[in-house]
Amino acid sequence: MTRVLVAGESWISVSTHYKGFDAFTSTTYHTGIAPLRDVLVADGIEVDHLPAHDVPALFPGTPEALAAYDVVVLSDIGANSILLHPATWLSSEKSANRIELLADWVEQGGGLAMAGGYLSFQGFEAKAAYAGTAVERVLPARISRYDDRVETPQGVPGLLAGDDAHPIVAGLPAQWPDLLGYNRYELPEDATLLATVGGDPLLSVRQAGAGRTLAWASDIAPHWCPDEFVAWDGYRTLFTRAVRWLAKEI
């Protein structure tokens, strides 16, 4: 069975409520993994979800730990969360550079995808900070050094690009449902563009050494990827094929 690790796609929100002289805070926990997880599991793919708050301590830190997976998906999780193990952050101990480890794993045959979001690619206020890292080296994306978000609240459709025979997109319609935003990146010369949004790359793929990589510029679920897109029949087709292509099954 194909095994996928999805890192990120969770967040904790803290609100302060002011009522006259008095104030109190409340904390809520949220995940955005369900739409992707559900379509992958329904297609017979095993999904392990590593929530954002667990990534610093639990993201794989050895080649053997990464070898347990066929595909790793980074979704709305910044580079610092992967780089800074608690042993280093709290105790000044040396730890593995897991960004470099991940890129090496890809070049030795692994499959890596990055999905867009406020903490993907370079992200909101450039805080995702993947530009110039080893992960950028293997992705089918050249990442801006600055805030790379493109907000499209009016909705902008995804459009098939030239290679409509690629196994990930073969048979999908030329126009896809609207998206509400994405991360803008540039395409490396050796990458293949499969879809665009707003005139920018939306979906691209690349061979990186013995491995494969994929960049999806928008969210995998709301807010940038609204319910209309998630409910589209092509959503399941697109992402299950993407994972199986990364795992070299198609």
Side-chain angles (χ1 to χ4, degrees), residues 44-58:
I45 296 168
E46 182 179 347
V47 179
D48 288 351
H49 179 214
L50 187 60
H53 59 274
D54 282 333
V55 168
L58 300 180

Side-chain angles (χ1 to χ4, degrees), residues 114-116 121 176 202-203 214-220 229 238-239:
M114 180 172 287
F121 298 97
W176 302 348
L202 171 61
L203 176 63
L214 179 148
W216 169 255
S218 194
D219 273 329
I220 59 168
F229 198 102
L238 186 64
F239 288 113

Side-chain angles (χ1 to χ4, degrees), residues 206-237:
R206 185 182 182 194
Q207 188 77 31
R212 292 177 172 182
T213 60
L214 179 148
W216 169 255
S218 194
D219 273 329
I220 59 168
H223 76 285
W224 277 347
C225 183
D227 290 338
E228 173 191 2
F229 198 102
V230 172
W232 172 48
D233 288 343
Y235 179 91
R236 174 174 178 172
T237 300

Side-chain angles (χ1 to χ4, degrees), residues 14 28 64 101 125-126 187 239:
V14 179
T28 53
E64 294 75 20
L101 181 70
E125 297 178 344
L187 204 68
F239 288 113

Side-chain angles (χ1 to χ4, degrees), residues 130-172:
Y130 284 101
T133 69
V135 161
E136 183 191 27
R137 183 182 82 221
V138 297
L139 283 177
R142 289 291 168 261
I143 301 172
S144 169
R145 293 279 180 169
Y146 307 100
D147 188 320
D148 58 5
R149 292 169 302 126
V150 179
E151 302 286 357
T152 58
Q154 75 280 13
V156 178
L159 300 172
L160 275 183
D163 192 359
D164 58 2
H166 192 280
I168 294 178
V169 297
L172 289 178

